[in-house]
Amino acid sequence: QEQSEEYGGGAVQVGGSLRLSCITPGRTFKNSMTAWFRQAPGKERQFVAAINWAGGNTHYADSVKGRFTISRDNAKNTVYLEMTSLEPEDTALYYCASRTGAIIPGGLNWRSYRDWGQGTQVIVSS
């Protein structure tokens, strides 16, 4: 299995919170990283947040900085995205994917990833 599986999406009101989970492929290595991306209808897939395998290095898109937190539990092969203070602009299909290499710069570009899951839908209404 190379694809990740995403869970935890839902419909919330503005200001609400959600926690997304990403079950990563079992075969991830210490030089790997995992990122969350999102895609709204009619828009290009957009970087949200990334974390390296050890969990000590993270990076966020400016639009979510201070509101979203990425973390991981390697014992569970799971990467989390804690989302707070949600806004309508956060409405999208959220995906996670893993690759080897550094977060910057390659990890910020969705084209650098090969295997994608089905995504989990987040809807934020006012």
Side-chain angles (χ1 to χ4, degrees), residues 2-35:
E2 298 296 335
Q3 290 182 331
S4 300
E5 297 178 53
E6 304 90 348
Y7 301 96
V12 297
Q13 292 190 324
V14 169
S17 300
L18 282 172
R19 187 196 201 199
L20 305 185
S21 298
C22 166
I23 311 300
T24 60
R27 200 167 51 88
T28 54
F29 302 99
K30 292 184 178 180
N31 63 340
S32 68
M33 53 152 294
T34 299

Side-chain angles (χ1 to χ4, degrees), residues 49-124:
I51 188 167
N52 67 338
W53 185 88
N57 187 17
T58 59
H59 189 78
Y60 297 90
D62 288 343
S63 59
V64 306
K65 208 170 288 184
R67 301 188 298 122
F68 291 12
T69 302
I70 190 170
S71 61
R72 68 187 306 150
D73 182 344
N74 288 336
K76 297 181 179 179
N77 286 339
T78 302
V79 174
Y80 303 99
L81 185 68
E82 192 78 40
M83 306 188 296
T84 63
S85 301
L86 283 163
E87 304 167 352
E89 293 74 22
D90 296 317
T91 295
L93 193 57
Y94 282 71
Y95 301 89
C96 66
S98 299
R99 65 186 288 273
T100 55
I103 294 175
I104 297 173
L108 307 184
N109 188 337
W110 65 269
R111 296 175 182 84
S112 299
Y113 299 81
R114 186 182 64 183
D115 299 303
W116 296 91
Q118 297 300 309
T120 186
Q121 182 69 51
V122 172
I123 299 173
V124 184

